[in-house]
Amino acid sequence: MSDTPDSAVRTYIQQHRAAFLDDLAEWLRIPSVSAQPEHAGDVARSADWLVAKLKETGFPVAEVWPTAGAPAVFAEWPSDDPEAPTVLVYGHHDVQPAARADGWHTDPFEPVLADGRLHARGAADDKGQVFFHTLGVRAHLAATGRTAPAVRLKLLIEGEEESGSPHFRALVEAGADRLAADAVIVSDTGMWSETTPTVCTGMRGLADCEIELYGPDQDIHSGSFGGAVPNPATVAARLVAALHDADERVTIPGFYDGVAPLTDAERALFAELPFDEKAWLSTAKSHGTLGEDGYSTLERIWARPTAEVNGIGGGYQGPGGKTIIPSSATLKLSFRLVAGQDPDLIEVAVSQWIAQRVPAGIRYDLAFGASTRPCLTPLDHPALQSVARAMSRAFDGQKILFTREGGSGPAADLQDVLGAPVLFLGISVPSDGWHAPNEKVEVELLLKGVETAAHLWDDLAAALSRSV
Amino acid sequence: MSDTPDSAVRTYIQQHRAAFLDDLAEWLRIPSVSAQPEHAGDVARSADWLVAKLKETGFPVAEVWPTAGAPAVFAEWPSDDPEAPTVLVYGHHDVQPAARADGWHTDPFEPVLADGRLHARGAADDKGQVFFHTLGVRAHLAATGRTAPAVRLKLLIEGEEESGSPHFRALVEAGADRLAADAVIVSDTGMWSETTPTVCTGMRGLADCEIELYGPDQDIHSGSFGGAVPNPATVAARLVAALHDADERVTIPGFYDGVAPLTDAERALFAELPFDEKAWLSTAKSHGTLGEDGYSTLERIWARPTAEVNGIGGGYQGPGGKTIIPSSATLKLSFRLVAGQDPDLIEVAVSQWIAQRVPAGIRYDLAFGASTRPCLTPLDHPALQSVARAMSRAFDGQKILFTREGGSGPAADLQDVLGAPVLFLGISVPSDGWHAPNEKVEVELLLKGVETAAHLWDDLAAALSRSV
């Protein structure tokens, strides 16, 4: 390979690959489990470790940003071009809980490199994908001979993503001036598969609620009273059943208001992906598909809003029977939202719909959790094309396809507060086992991530300058 | 009062009242809790105690009848008239669990007599109501000068009623020859209120089932997969919601087959009862009524079959939200049945209905519990009129009204196996607190029970002889 920028990047990465993996392993040894209070010190240690490493990488600014919960990390590396656009990279340094007893073959916090895979909690979600930006920016500088990045590069690495990012929006709002950016790069998603590199263009939003329904003051005898008083478990079930019509469309009035219809171009792009329903069902650990009439499975999970019951409970759930009318029932509903939907309006629509459906004699409490807005970057956005080009160079010229993500993330808060388009750069694959035992990252893909990051800043600087 | 049979009965009862209450208290001290294995010895002791007491009372035959579970007691006292009809009294000597910690003001197994009430677990349900037959038959003999009862009197007092009578049917089938009777008197129910003595004419039957619904092999992410695969909690909820139509009628095809319509006479009798909806709701600890269109509350609980969800569960039920599609859901349904319905046919109808409603991709297991047949004695049955007459004498000539019981009991097995009409003689009142802390029985009503039993055998002997 001649000394093109691409080969220079590869050469640099190969030279630093071992140290990069050693450093990542050191970080992965810190059990920064944000959901478990006993690991609060580890989350703080993880933030400190990252600050030190980012300084070592060359970031002139690298700071711990405290929150009311676990700390985030902020770093900044100005460009040598004062006109250069600003890019903010988002990721998180906290991880899901993990224990040998859950089915791990090795200690989740003692990284093991085997068969080209690095196994550890956080290897893919999200320390590995945060960390590829460190070697990425160094390779960018090395290959281009720059002393500072082609963009003003900022990093915001939060510490509570796995706990639902309860303080993230406040953090972004408080730090909005320093976080200001022309584009946000989220490195906390994945791509289609090992052989089909893709760029994600958006995530669904989320609204969720908990409904407690109260009937009799205590469980009562279903013989003595059954058939004559309202049963809160029946009411809970009727709410769930009424959520959808026979076409599996959500029935709540106003629910679809503002939803942009899928364009033919978008549907065609989805259809380009090598979707194998059997394989998808296996990933979904499910035994059949069911969803809104008129849409494919990918369209249903990426581009259509949904209503789902996440939990329902009421009355006797032990073995055998118990002839009671339960005193109360509980219901957890969540709604995935797509571009054009506003979680605040959805909450109003849901509240009204529930109020109209709970019969006399049943009292209820309704509480909404923190909502997440949907985000979607148009396919023709120049920055999106830039990410796809950088990725294609890392993947030897392979065509980059586009996906979306059915889940929801705090990235939407960045789009919302900073007013910047959100782009997704992730190299994780479905088999990486996010949140599952034996999480891993494919080392070659991790290095493709480094390579993409190394190519991205020049391309993005040009694309964003043109688009201004 | 002159020395009429009625006053002779009263005099006898007054003379033996103290000893009767002392004996009952002794029995109540035995914590014969059939549902708790650690009390198995107490249940056996309770049976032995009763056998001894029945022998002391004068029953020539009094035996413990072992079962695969807790023992029953059988006793028999032939009439001096070889042509006399045979009457079998049913009750139970086991009790519900009880502990001070549940809210009892006194030790549940240390009877306390205060303000005309005897407080103890089992005081009303059912030891008190079994026991009034001992003094009852003695008063019958004393007042009539007989040396043996006017009927061939049999007693079957089971030891597992509070555990769902798992071995009762087998016991009755095995002992059918010795249990053969022309009528069954069940003393394990109550009457309308302290001031409205009533006779119950029937109980509803019961069929119940447990449905486990299986979707994904594990809980899956509602963002990644939501909207595209069937959710077992949604399926469970849709089953519950589909059980009833907008008129709260059960929708399962064939469910109402064989149900005899309520006659005008029956409706008129129900309407004679001093029903106060507010008071009833307070007893039901409920805050509204809801039931099948076109029927009153009493008609709904006594004379109409129902479908009720006793328990539902699936997914996350803890505090806050969890964005999953649950792997499974569980559902407990029960059906109260009325005369004309056959639990076996109901089970077939329910099975078919469920099979048609579970979508592809969801697997399920369905299991039915032991069912109970409904029982109903026609209002014009001579034995029923006999019970009402005996009760009226005990209640100073007061008019006896007729009720039914919405619950279900093993009495139906007696009707079914022995082919005898079932009559209910109970003096317990709603405030007695069956299955609740501080169960009690009103002593004056208990003695009215004794008095009714004392009057019953002569009247019933005549009524049954006429009706043969």
Side-chain angles (χ1 to χ4, degrees):
Chain A
M1 214 176 260
S2 65
D3 195 22
T4 63
D6 290 16
S7 66
V9 161
R10 286 199 180 168
T11 303
Y12 187 87
I13 292 171
Q14 284 311 318
Q15 284 165 353
H16 295 82
R17 167 193 174 124
F20 169 76
L21 292 175
D22 284 349
D23 285 349
L24 175 56
E26 190 176 300
W27 194 19
L28 291 169
R29 279 188 198 98
I30 304 173
S32 50
V33 181
S34 59
Q36 295 175 334
E38 65 268 31
H39 284 296
D42 294 318
V43 182
R45 195 151 58 89
S46 164
D48 292 341
W49 185 95
L50 181 59
V51 163
K53 188 55 63 178
L54 292 172
K55 283 184 176 160
E56 190 186 312
T57 300
F59 281 82
V61 174
E63 306 166 352
V64 169
W65 276 13
T67 74
V73 167
F74 173 76
E76 184 170 4
W77 196 336
S79 173
D80 44 15
D81 173 5
E83 303 294 309
T86 303
V87 175
L88 174 67
V89 169
Y90 166 85
H92 61 89
H93 68 92
D94 63 320
V95 298
Q96 280 277 313
R100 275 301 278 268
D102 300 338
W104 285 78
H105 302 317
T106 56
D107 184 334
F109 297 106
E110 187 45 63
V112 173
L113 187 63
D115 299 327
R117 293 165 170 176
L118 182 62
H119 292 268
R121 173 57 86 221
D125 176 22
D126 183 38
K127 284 174 175 168
Q129 302 204 98
V130 166
F131 207 58
F132 71 56
H133 285 286
T134 60
L135 184 56
V137 67
R138 298 277 352 153
H140 161 59
L141 299 181
T144 58
R146 291 176 184 276
T147 54
V151 296
R152 174 180 282 263
L153 185 60
K154 298 177 178 178
L155 263 61
L156 179 62
I157 311 302
E158 76 159 310
E160 296 188 312
E161 200 273 344
E162 301 296 3
S163 302
S165 302
H167 308 100
F168 186 67
R169 193 176 174 101
L171 182 76
V172 173
E173 284 173 347
D177 285 349
R178 294 185 70 191
L179 294 170
D182 299 295
V184 174
I185 299 283
V186 169
S187 283
D188 185 29
T189 55
M191 50 182 223
W192 181 264
S193 73
E194 286 81 345
T195 52
T196 305
T198 54
V199 169
C200 172
T201 67
M203 298 181 85
R204 292 197 286 191
L206 178 67
D208 71 340
C209 66
E210 182 171 5
I211 309 154
E212 282 284 335
L213 295 145
Y214 304 98
D217 296 335
Q218 63 185 48
D219 291 351
I220 59 173
H221 194 284
S222 74
S224 303
F225 305 107
V229 296
N231 177 330
T234 302
V235 175
R238 288 179 181 180
L239 284 172
V240 172
L243 276 174
H244 300 88
D245 65 15
D247 294 331
E248 299 290 344
R249 271 178 71 85
V250 177
T251 60
I252 297 170
F255 185 75
Y256 291 98
D257 287 359
V259 172
L262 265 174
T263 64
D264 288 347
E266 286 168 322
R267 301 188 92 159
L269 274 170
F270 286 1
E272 266 191 77
L273 290 159
F275 179 76
D276 173 341
E277 185 170 282
K278 210 171 144 187
W280 182 84
L281 278 175
S282 161
T283 305
K285 302 190 186 304
S286 291
H287 304 279
T289 61
L290 185 70
E292 190 184 354
D293 244 35
Y295 294 91
S296 72
T297 291
L298 288 184
E299 290 165 358
R300 286 168 176 169
I301 55 174
W302 288 349
R304 296 297 298 171
T306 62
E308 202 77 58
V309 53
N310 309 118
I312 187 168
Y316 181 68
Q317 298 180 45
K322 190 173 181 190
T323 48
I324 54 162
I325 296 174
S327 167
S328 67
T330 181
L331 200 54
K332 318 269 190 186
L333 302 179
S334 66
F335 304 90
R336 296 286 168 175
L337 310 177
V338 299
Q341 285 179 302
D342 179 338
D344 297 339
L345 298 182
I346 294 296
E347 290 182 8
V348 171
V350 170
S351 303
Q352 290 175 346
W353 181 83
I354 290 171
Q356 285 160 4
R357 303 191 76 90
V358 174
I362 299 285
R363 194 169 60 72
Y364 71 97
D365 292 330
L366 168 64
F368 285 91
S371 64
T372 305
R373 287 170 192 279
C375 60
L376 182 66
T377 303
L379 287 169
D380 57 4
H381 194 287
L384 184 61
Q385 294 300 326
S386 188
V387 173
R389 270 192 304 270
M391 194 171 205
S392 181
R393 283 165 72 183
F395 281 85
D396 304 311
Q398 213 178 327
K399 179 176 180 182
I400 304 301
L401 299 178
F402 294 94
T403 64
R404 292 193 198 175
E405 166 59 45
S408 311
D413 284 324
L414 294 167
Q415 170 190 272
D416 204 41
V417 178
L418 306 179
V422 171
L423 309 157
F424 298 85
L425 168 55
I427 49 72
S428 180
V429 288
S431 61
D432 283 353
W434 290 32
H435 300 199
N438 304 305
E439 179 181 348
K440 55 88 182 167
V441 69
E442 301 283 332
V443 172
E444 286 313 310
L445 293 179
L446 192 62
L447 298 176
K448 296 282 188 202
V450 175
E451 209 172 323
T452 303
H455 295 313
L456 185 56
W457 310 130
D458 267 317
D459 195 311
L460 200 53
L464 288 170
S465 302
R466 272 194 308 276
S467 73
V468 167
Chain B
M1 213 176 261
S2 66
D3 195 26
T4 63
D6 290 15
S7 65
V9 161
R10 284 198 181 168
T11 303
Y12 187 86
I13 292 172
Q14 286 309 320
Q15 286 165 351
H16 294 83
R17 167 192 174 123
F20 168 76
L21 291 175
D22 284 349
D23 284 348
L24 174 56
E26 188 176 301
W27 194 18
L28 290 169
R29 281 189 195 97
I30 303 174
S32 50
V33 181
S34 60
Q36 296 175 332
E38 64 269 31
H39 285 296
D42 293 317
V43 182
R45 196 150 57 89
S46 163
D48 292 341
W49 184 94
L50 181 59
V51 163
K53 187 57 60 181
L54 291 172
K55 283 183 177 161
E56 190 185 315
T57 299
F59 281 83
V61 174
E63 306 168 351
V64 169
W65 277 13
T67 74
V73 167
F74 173 77
E76 186 171 2
W77 196 336
S79 173
D80 44 15
D81 173 5
E83 302 294 308
T86 302
V87 176
L88 174 67
V89 169
Y90 166 86
H92 60 91
H93 68 93
D94 63 321
V95 298
Q96 279 278 313
R100 275 300 278 266
D102 300 339
W104 284 78
H105 303 317
T106 56
D107 183 333
F109 298 106
E110 187 45 64
V112 172
L113 187 61
D115 298 328
R117 294 166 171 175
L118 182 62
H119 292 268
R121 173 58 86 223
D125 176 22
D126 183 34
K127 285 175 175 167
Q129 302 204 97
V130 166
F131 206 58
F132 71 55
H133 285 286
T134 60
L135 184 55
V137 68
R138 296 280 349 155
H140 161 61
L141 300 181
T144 57
R146 292 178 183 272
T147 54
V151 296
R152 173 180 284 260
L153 185 59
K154 298 178 178 178
L155 263 60
L156 180 62
I157 311 302
E158 77 159 310
E160 296 187 310
E161 201 273 346
E162 300 296 2
S163 303
S165 302
H167 308 100
F168 185 67
R169 193 175 173 100
L171 181 77
V172 173
E173 284 172 347
D177 284 350
R178 294 186 69 192
L179 294 170
D182 299 296
V184 174
I185 300 281
V186 169
S187 284
D188 185 28
T189 54
M191 50 181 224
W192 182 264
S193 73
E194 286 82 344
T195 52
T196 306
T198 53
V199 170
C200 173
T201 67
M203 300 181 83
R204 293 197 287 191
L206 178 67
D208 71 339
C209 66
E210 182 172 6
I211 309 154
E212 283 283 336
L213 295 145
Y214 304 99
D217 296 334
Q218 62 185 50
D219 291 351
I220 59 173
H221 194 285
S222 74
S224 304
F225 306 107
V229 296
N231 177 331
T234 302
V235 175
R238 288 178 182 180
L239 285 172
V240 173
L243 276 174
H244 299 89
D245 65 16
D247 293 331
E248 299 290 345
R249 271 179 71 85
V250 177
T251 60
I252 297 169
F255 185 74
Y256 292 98
D257 288 0
V259 172
L262 265 174
T263 64
D264 288 345
E266 286 167 322
R267 301 186 95 159
L269 275 170
F270 286 1
E272 265 191 79
L273 290 159
F275 179 74
D276 172 342
E277 185 169 283
K278 210 171 145 189
W280 182 84
L281 278 175
S282 162
T283 306
K285 300 186 187 304
S286 291
H287 305 279
T289 60
L290 184 71
E292 190 182 354
D293 243 36
Y295 294 92
S296 72
T297 292
L298 288 184
E299 290 165 358
R300 286 168 176 169
I301 55 175
W302 288 350
R304 297 296 299 170
T306 63
E308 202 76 58
V309 53
N310 309 117
I312 186 169
Y316 180 68
Q317 298 179 46
K322 191 173 181 189
T323 48
I324 54 163
I325 296 174
S327 166
S328 66
T330 181
L331 200 54
K332 318 269 189 188
L333 302 179
S334 67
F335 304 89
R336 295 286 166 175
L337 310 177
V338 299
Q341 285 179 302
D342 178 336
D344 297 339
L345 298 180
I346 294 296
E347 290 183 8
V348 171
V350 170
S351 303
Q352 290 174 347
W353 181 82
I354 291 171
Q356 285 160 3
R357 303 191 76 90
V358 175
I362 300 284
R363 194 168 59 73
Y364 72 96
D365 292 330
L366 168 64
F368 285 91
S371 64
T372 305
R373 288 171 192 276
C375 60
L376 182 67
T377 304
L379 287 169
D380 57 2
H381 195 286
L384 184 60
Q385 296 299 327
S386 188
V387 173
R389 270 192 305 271
M391 194 170 204
S392 181
R393 285 167 71 183
F395 282 84
D396 303 313
Q398 213 178 326
K399 180 175 180 184
I400 305 301
L401 300 178
F402 294 93
T403 64
R404 293 193 198 174
E405 166 60 43
S408 311
D413 285 323
L414 294 167
Q415 170 190 273
D416 203 43
V417 177
L418 306 180
V422 171
L423 309 156
F424 298 85
L425 168 55
I427 49 70
S428 179
V429 287
S431 62
D432 283 352
W434 289 32
H435 298 200
N438 304 306
E439 179 181 348
K440 55 88 181 167
V441 70
E442 300 284 331
V443 172
E444 287 313 309
L445 293 180
L446 192 62
L447 298 177
K448 297 281 188 203
V450 174
E451 208 170 324
T452 305
H455 295 313
L456 185 57
W457 309 131
D458 267 317
D459 196 312
L460 200 54
L464 288 170
S465 301
R466 273 195 306 277
S467 74
V468 166

